[in-house]
PDB file of all heavy atoms in Angstrom:
ATOM      1  N   ASN A   1     117.661  92.902 147.361  1.00 74.00           N
ATOM      2  CA  ASN A   1     117.974  91.916 146.329  1.00 74.00           C
ATOM      3  C   ASN A   1     116.711  91.335 145.719  1.00 74.00           C
ATOM      4  O   ASN A   1     116.604  91.154 144.505  1.00 74.00           O
ATOM      5  CB  ASN A   1     118.822  90.789 146.932  1.00 74.00           C
ATOM      6  CG  ASN A   1     120.272  90.891 146.513  1.00 74.00           C
ATOM      7  OD1 ASN A   1     120.642  91.727 145.704  1.00 74.00           O
ATOM      8  ND2 ASN A   1     121.105  90.055 147.062  1.00 74.00           N
ATOM      9  N   ASP A   2     115.721  91.016 146.590  1.00 68.00           N
ATOM     10  CA  ASP A   2     114.505  90.362 146.112  1.00 68.00           C
ATOM     11  C   ASP A   2     113.636  91.299 145.283  1.00 68.00           C
ATOM     12  O   ASP A   2     113.008  90.878 144.311  1.00 68.00           O
ATOM     13  CB  ASP A   2     113.695  89.828 147.298  1.00 68.00           C
ATOM     14  CG  ASP A   2     114.379  88.645 147.989  1.00 68.00           C
ATOM     15  OD1 ASP A   2     115.303  88.076 147.369  1.00 68.00           O
ATOM     16  OD2 ASP A   2     114.000  88.311 149.117  1.00 68.00           O
ATOM     17  N   THR A   3     113.584  92.568 145.698  1.00 69.00           N
ATOM     18  CA  THR A   3     112.675  93.494 145.019  1.00 69.00           C
ATOM     19  C   THR A   3     113.314  94.222 143.848  1.00 69.00           C
ATOM     20  O   THR A   3     112.645  94.517 142.855  1.00 69.00           O
ATOM     21  CB  THR A   3     112.122  94.530 146.025  1.00 69.00           C
ATOM     22  OG1 THR A   3     113.224  95.214 146.648  1.00 69.00           O
ATOM     23  CG2 THR A   3     111.293  93.844 147.097  1.00 69.00           C
ATOM     24  N   LEU A   4     114.598  94.544 143.942  1.00 75.00           N
ATOM     25  CA  LEU A   4     115.260  95.334 142.902  1.00 75.00           C
ATOM     26  C   LEU A   4     116.241  94.534 142.056  1.00 75.00           C
ATOM     27  O   LEU A   4     116.709  95.022 141.028  1.00 75.00           O
ATOM     28  CB  LEU A   4     115.993  96.523 143.544  1.00 75.00           C
ATOM     29  CG  LEU A   4     115.113  97.491 144.356  1.00 75.00           C
ATOM     30  CD1 LEU A   4     115.963  98.615 144.931  1.00 75.00           C
ATOM     31  CD2 LEU A   4     113.994  98.050 143.500  1.00 75.00           C
ATOM     32  N   GLY A   5     116.609  93.320 142.502  1.00 75.00           N
ATOM     33  CA  GLY A   5     117.500  92.483 141.706  1.00 75.00           C
ATOM     34  C   GLY A   5     118.933  92.499 142.211  1.00 75.00           C
ATOM     35  O   GLY A   5     119.342  93.355 143.007  1.00 75.00           O
ATOM     36  N   HIS A   6     119.714  91.500 141.754  1.00 79.00           N
ATOM     37  CA  HIS A   6     121.096  91.343 142.217  1.00 79.00           C
ATOM     38  C   HIS A   6     121.987  92.503 141.771  1.00 79.00           C
ATOM     39  O   HIS A   6     122.933  92.867 142.483  1.00 79.00           O
ATOM     40  CB  HIS A   6     121.675  90.021 141.701  1.00 79.00           C
ATOM     41  CG  HIS A   6     121.083  88.819 142.370  1.00 79.00           C
ATOM     42  ND1 HIS A   6     121.357  88.490 143.678  1.00 79.00           N
ATOM     43  CD2 HIS A   6     120.219  87.878 141.918  1.00 79.00           C
ATOM     44  CE1 HIS A   6     120.698  87.400 144.006  1.00 79.00           C
ATOM     45  NE2 HIS A   6     119.997  87.003 142.958  1.00 79.00           N
ATOM     46  N   ALA A   7     121.696  93.093 140.621  1.00 83.00           N
ATOM     47  CA  ALA A   7     122.527  94.213 140.165  1.00 83.00           C
ATOM     48  C   ALA A   7     122.413  95.389 141.133  1.00 83.00           C
ATOM     49  O   ALA A   7     123.417  96.015 141.487  1.00 83.00           O
ATOM     50  CB  ALA A   7     122.109  94.639 138.753  1.00 83.00           C
ATOM     51  N   ALA A   8     121.190  95.670 141.570  1.00 84.00           N
ATOM     52  CA  ALA A   8     121.001  96.743 142.559  1.00 84.00           C
ATOM     53  C   ALA A   8     121.657  96.374 143.876  1.00 84.00           C
ATOM     54  O   ALA A   8     122.234  97.222 144.562  1.00 84.00           O
ATOM     55  CB  ALA A   8     119.513  97.017 142.758  1.00 84.00           C
ATOM     56  N   GLY A   9     121.578  95.068 144.233  1.00 85.00           N
ATOM     57  CA  GLY A   9     122.231  94.622 145.460  1.00 85.00           C
ATOM     58  C   GLY A   9     123.735  94.821 145.400  1.00 85.00           C
ATOM     59  O   GLY A   9     124.351  95.280 146.379  1.00 85.00           O
ATOM     60  N   ASP A  10     124.330  94.514 144.251  1.00 88.00           N
ATOM     61  CA  ASP A  10     125.776  94.720 144.102  1.00 88.00           C
ATOM     62  C   ASP A  10     126.128  96.208 144.184  1.00 88.00           C
ATOM     63  O   ASP A  10     127.126  96.590 144.806  1.00 88.00           O
ATOM     64  CB  ASP A  10     126.246  94.149 142.756  1.00 88.00           C
ATOM     65  CG  ASP A  10     126.255  92.628 142.742  1.00 88.00           C
ATOM     66  OD1 ASP A  10     126.122  92.029 143.828  1.00 88.00           O
ATOM     67  OD2 ASP A  10     126.391  92.048 141.657  1.00 88.00           O
ATOM     68  N   GLU A  11     125.308  97.032 143.555  1.00 89.00           N
ATOM     69  CA  GLU A  11     125.556  98.476 143.600  1.00 89.00           C
ATOM     70  C   GLU A  11     125.479  98.991 145.033  1.00 89.00           C
ATOM     71  O   GLU A  11     126.281  99.832 145.457  1.00 89.00           O
ATOM     72  CB  GLU A  11     124.528  99.202 142.723  1.00 89.00           C
ATOM     73  CG  GLU A  11     124.756 100.714 142.640  1.00 89.00           C
ATOM     74  CD  GLU A  11     123.708 101.412 141.784  1.00 89.00           C
ATOM     75  OE1 GLU A  11     122.900 100.710 141.134  1.00 89.00           O
ATOM     76  OE2 GLU A  11     123.688 102.652 141.778  1.00 89.00           O
ATOM     77  N   LEU A  12     124.515  98.445 145.785  1.00 90.00           N
ATOM     78  CA  LEU A  12     124.374  98.859 147.184  1.00 90.00           C
ATOM     79  C   LEU A  12     125.584  98.423 148.009  1.00 90.00           C
ATOM     80  O   LEU A  12     126.074  99.183 148.855  1.00 90.00           O
ATOM     81  CB  LEU A  12     123.089  98.267 147.768  1.00 90.00           C
ATOM     82  CG  LEU A  12     122.817  98.556 149.251  1.00 90.00           C
ATOM     83  CD1 LEU A  12     122.735 100.057 149.497  1.00 90.00           C
ATOM     84  CD2 LEU A  12     121.537  97.883 149.699  1.00 90.00           C
ATOM     85  N   LEU A  13     126.086  97.219 147.770  1.00 92.00           N
ATOM     86  CA  LEU A  13     127.259  96.740 148.512  1.00 92.00           C
ATOM     87  C   LEU A  13     128.474  97.628 148.259  1.00 92.00           C
ATOM     88  O   LEU A  13     129.246  97.917 149.178  1.00 92.00           O
ATOM     89  CB  LEU A  13     127.572  95.296 148.118  1.00 92.00           C
ATOM     90  CG  LEU A  13     126.590  94.227 148.610  1.00 92.00           C
ATOM     91  CD1 LEU A  13     126.935  92.861 148.016  1.00 92.00           C
ATOM     92  CD2 LEU A  13     126.581  94.145 150.131  1.00 92.00           C
ATOM     93  N   VAL A  14     128.648  98.059 147.012  1.00 92.00           N
ATOM     94  CA  VAL A  14     129.769  98.950 146.688  1.00 92.00           C
ATOM     95  C   VAL A  14     129.606 100.283 147.425  1.00 92.00           C
ATOM     96  O   VAL A  14     130.573 100.831 147.975  1.00 92.00           O
ATOM     97  CB  VAL A  14     129.854  99.174 145.169  1.00 92.00           C
ATOM     98  CG1 VAL A  14     130.898 100.236 144.843  1.00 92.00           C
ATOM     99  CG2 VAL A  14     130.205  97.860 144.456  1.00 92.00           C
ATOM    100  N   ALA A  15     128.362 100.796 147.463  1.00 92.00           N
ATOM    101  CA  ALA A  15     128.118 102.059 148.164  1.00 92.00           C
ATOM    102  C   ALA A  15     128.354 101.910 149.667  1.00 92.00           C
ATOM    103  O   ALA A  15     128.903 102.801 150.315  1.00 92.00           O
ATOM    104  CB  ALA A  15     126.682 102.533 147.893  1.00 92.00           C
ATOM    105  N   VAL A  16     127.945 100.771 150.230  1.00 93.00           N
ATOM    106  CA  VAL A  16     128.175 100.512 151.658  1.00 93.00           C
ATOM    107  C   VAL A  16     129.669 100.461 151.954  1.00 93.00           C
ATOM    108  O   VAL A  16     130.150 101.026 152.948  1.00 93.00           O
ATOM    109  CB  VAL A  16     127.487  99.197 152.085  1.00 93.00           C
ATOM    110  CG1 VAL A  16     127.987  98.747 153.468  1.00 93.00           C
ATOM    111  CG2 VAL A  16     125.980  99.362 152.097  1.00 93.00           C
ATOM    112  N   ALA A  17     130.427  99.782 151.084  1.00 93.00           N
ATOM    113  CA  ALA A  17     131.875  99.695 151.281  1.00 93.00           C
ATOM    114  C   ALA A  17     132.504 101.085 151.294  1.00 93.00           C
ATOM    115  O   ALA A  17     133.362 101.383 152.138  1.00 93.00           O
ATOM    116  CB  ALA A  17     132.504  98.837 150.176  1.00 93.00           C
ATOM    117  N   GLY A  18     132.064 101.954 150.374  1.00 93.00           N
ATOM    118  CA  GLY A  18     132.596 103.307 150.344  1.00 93.00           C
ATOM    119  C   GLY A  18     132.283 104.078 151.613  1.00 93.00           C
ATOM    120  O   GLY A  18     133.131 104.809 152.143  1.00 93.00           O
ATOM    121  N   ARG A  19     131.071 103.888 152.136  1.00 93.00           N
ATOM    122  CA  ARG A  19     130.694 104.597 153.355  1.00 93.00           C
ATOM    123  C   ARG A  19     131.463 104.058 154.561  1.00 93.00           C
ATOM    124  O   ARG A  19     131.836 104.821 155.463  1.00 93.00           O
ATOM    125  CB  ARG A  19     129.187 104.483 153.561  1.00 93.00           C
ATOM    126  CG  ARG A  19     128.607 105.565 154.448  1.00 93.00           C
ATOM    127  CD  ARG A  19     127.094 105.604 154.384  1.00 93.00           C
ATOM    128  NE  ARG A  19     126.574 106.200 153.162  1.00 93.00           N
ATOM    129  CZ  ARG A  19     125.285 106.416 152.941  1.00 93.00           C
ATOM    130  NH1 ARG A  19     124.388 106.106 153.865  1.00 93.00           N
ATOM    131  NH2 ARG A  19     124.881 106.960 151.801  1.00 93.00           N
ATOM    132  N   LEU A  20     131.703 102.760 154.608  1.00 93.00           N
ATOM    133  CA  LEU A  20     132.492 102.177 155.700  1.00 93.00           C
ATOM    134  C   LEU A  20     133.925 102.710 155.682  1.00 93.00           C
ATOM    135  O   LEU A  20     134.490 103.033 156.735  1.00 93.00           O
ATOM    136  CB  LEU A  20     132.503 100.651 155.582  1.00 93.00           C
ATOM    137  CG  LEU A  20     131.187  99.929 155.864  1.00 93.00           C
ATOM    138  CD1 LEU A  20     131.338  98.427 155.611  1.00 93.00           C
ATOM    139  CD2 LEU A  20     130.723 100.157 157.291  1.00 93.00           C
ATOM    140  N   LEU A  21     134.507 102.793 154.489  1.00 93.00           N
ATOM    141  CA  LEU A  21     135.874 103.311 154.382  1.00 93.00           C
ATOM    142  C   LEU A  21     135.934 104.779 154.808  1.00 93.00           C
ATOM    143  O   LEU A  21     136.930 105.223 155.383  1.00 93.00           O
ATOM    144  CB  LEU A  21     136.370 103.161 152.938  1.00 93.00           C
ATOM    145  CG  LEU A  21     136.681 101.735 152.474  1.00 93.00           C
ATOM    146  CD1 LEU A  21     136.950 101.713 150.974  1.00 93.00           C
ATOM    147  CD2 LEU A  21     137.868 101.158 153.235  1.00 93.00           C
ATOM    148  N   GLN A  22     134.874 105.502 154.526  1.00 92.00           N
ATOM    149  CA  GLN A  22     134.846 106.912 154.905  1.00 92.00           C
ATOM    150  C   GLN A  22     134.776 107.072 156.423  1.00 92.00           C
ATOM    151  O   GLN A  22     135.506 107.882 157.008  1.00 92.00           O
ATOM    152  CB  GLN A  22     133.641 107.588 154.248  1.00 92.00           C
ATOM    153  CG  GLN A  22     133.568 109.094 154.485  1.00 92.00           C
ATOM    154  CD  GLN A  22     132.361 109.704 153.794  1.00 92.00           C
ATOM    155  OE1 GLN A  22     131.458 109.016 153.368  1.00 92.00           O
ATOM    156  NE2 GLN A  22     132.359 111.016 153.685  1.00 92.00           N
ATOM    157  N   VAL A  23     133.920 106.286 157.071  1.00 91.00           N
ATOM    158  CA  VAL A  23     133.772 106.380 158.528  1.00 91.00           C
ATOM    159  C   VAL A  23     135.000 105.830 159.238  1.00 91.00           C
ATOM    160  O   VAL A  23     135.441 106.369 160.256  1.00 91.00           O
ATOM    161  CB  VAL A  23     132.501 105.638 158.984  1.00 91.00           C
ATOM    162  CG1 VAL A  23     132.408 105.616 160.507  1.00 91.00           C
ATOM    163  CG2 VAL A  23     131.262 106.290 158.390  1.00 91.00           C
ATOM    164  N   CYS A  24     135.555 104.738 158.711  1.00 91.00           N
ATOM    165  CA  CYS A  24     136.677 104.051 159.368  1.00 91.00           C
ATOM    166  C   CYS A  24     137.986 104.344 158.641  1.00 91.00           C
ATOM    167  O   CYS A  24     138.786 103.418 158.401  1.00 91.00           O
ATOM    168  CB  CYS A  24     136.418 102.546 159.415  1.00 91.00           C
ATOM    169  SG  CYS A  24     134.897 102.086 160.238  1.00 91.00           S
ATOM    170  N   ALA A  25     138.208 105.582 158.279  1.00 89.00           N
ATOM    171  CA  ALA A  25     139.427 105.952 157.561  1.00 89.00           C
ATOM    172  C   ALA A  25     140.651 105.552 158.373  1.00 89.00           C
ATOM    173  O   ALA A  25     140.741 105.813 159.571  1.00 89.00           O
ATOM    174  CB  ALA A  25     139.438 107.456 157.303  1.00 89.00           C
ATOM    175  N   GLY A  26     141.594 104.900 157.711  1.00 87.00           N
ATOM    176  CA  GLY A  26     142.816 104.462 158.375  1.00 87.00           C
ATOM    177  C   GLY A  26     142.687 103.115 159.057  1.00 87.00           C
ATOM    178  O   GLY A  26     143.678 102.576 159.562  1.00 87.00           O
ATOM    179  N   ARG A  27     141.477 102.558 159.103  1.00 90.00           N
ATOM    180  CA  ARG A  27     141.253 101.232 159.712  1.00 90.00           C
ATOM    181  C   ARG A  27     141.139 100.179 158.608  1.00 90.00           C
ATOM    182  O   ARG A  27     140.819 100.495 157.457  1.00 90.00           O
ATOM    183  CB  ARG A  27     139.967 101.213 160.540  1.00 90.00           C
ATOM    184  CG  ARG A  27     139.774 102.416 161.450  1.00 90.00           C
ATOM    185  CD  ARG A  27     140.619 102.325 162.693  1.00 90.00           C
ATOM    186  NE  ARG A  27     140.216 103.327 163.669  1.00 90.00           N
ATOM    187  CZ  ARG A  27     140.740 103.424 164.880  1.00 90.00           C
ATOM    188  NH1 ARG A  27     141.686 102.580 165.257  1.00 90.00           N
ATOM    189  NH2 ARG A  27     140.335 104.358 165.716  1.00 90.00           N
ATOM    190  N   LEU A  28     141.353  98.933 158.981  1.00 92.00           N
ATOM    191  CA  LEU A  28     141.203  97.858 157.999  1.00 92.00           C
ATOM    192  C   LEU A  28     139.731  97.474 157.916  1.00 92.00           C
ATOM    193  O   LEU A  28     139.114  97.091 158.921  1.00 92.00           O
ATOM    194  CB  LEU A  28     142.039  96.636 158.376  1.00 92.00           C
ATOM    195  CG  LEU A  28     141.964  95.529 157.306  1.00 92.00           C
ATOM    196  CD1 LEU A  28     143.358  95.069 156.910  1.00 92.00           C
ATOM    197  CD2 LEU A  28     141.142  94.349 157.778  1.00 92.00           C
TER     198      LEU A  28
END
């Protein structure tokens, strides 16, 4: 966030969410 900005931070959070859903398929 500090080095690349909040927009990059938001993009990273979306990518993390996608990876979590992939690993934890079927879980909440």
Side-chain angles (χ1 to χ4, degrees):
N1 255 355
D2 291 344
T3 57
L4 301 180
H6 289 289
D10 288 348
E11 183 181 352
L12 178 59
L13 289 174
V14 173
V16 167
R19 202 167 285 185
L20 290 176
L21 288 171
Q22 184 179 14
V23 175
C24 303
R27 315 282 192 176
L28 184 129

